Amino acid sequence: MPSRYGRNDLAATAARLPTGQALTLVHVGAILVASVRLHFLDLNLHHDTRGEQVIACDVPLQRGQEIGWFEHGSTIVVLAPKGMALVEGVGTGAEVRAGPALLRRV
């Protein structure tokens, strides 16, 4: 990842879409973010969480279900499979809110 993310706390979540395609979410907790909370794992990652950790889980999520949040905001990088594209209106500089779709099948 670019160096701007190198000093931040990262939590990568590997997911499988109903179609069987893989989707990866990289939760980037910026330097001043107090913690990354992942509800579906009942997990709170914070500045005292050190080093690489692999936490196995097999948790089904429903469409639109909250998976977690940042205590003071940050970024999620979405690594989508081939055959997916951003929905209209989502792009560089766009405001993205919880709820509406980000991706669509092409």
Side-chain angles (χ1 to χ4, degrees):
M1 293 205 151
S3 62
R4 83 173 111 186
Y5 297 126
R7 295 188 340 220
N8 299 314
D9 294 325
L10 304 174
T13 304
R16 185 131 336 257
L17 299 172
T19 60
Q21 295 171 293
L23 178 77
T24 302
L25 303 173
V26 182
H27 313 267
V28 182
I31 294 169
L32 299 176
V33 170
S35 68
V36 177
R37 296 181 183 262
L38 300 174
H39 296 304
F40 68 100
L41 291 177
D42 192 25
L43 184 63
N44 181 10
L45 303 173
H46 49 78
H47 65 278
D48 289 333
T49 307
R50 300 278 184 222
E52 182 177 329
Q53 299 180 28
V54 176
I55 302 165
C57 68
D58 185 11
V59 179
L61 297 171
Q62 301 299 313
R63 184 178 189 165
Q65 180 180 345
E66 179 180 271
I67 60 173
W69 53 283
F70 299 102
E71 274 197 14
H72 294 293
S74 202
T75 301
I76 296 179
V77 178
V78 179
L79 304 172
K82 288 183 179 182
M84 301 294 281
L86 294 173
V87 298
E88 187 175 332
V90 174
T92 302
E95 183 176 304
V96 177
R97 296 188 168 268
L102 293 175
L103 301 168
R104 62 178 173 80
R105 287 190 210 140
V106 291

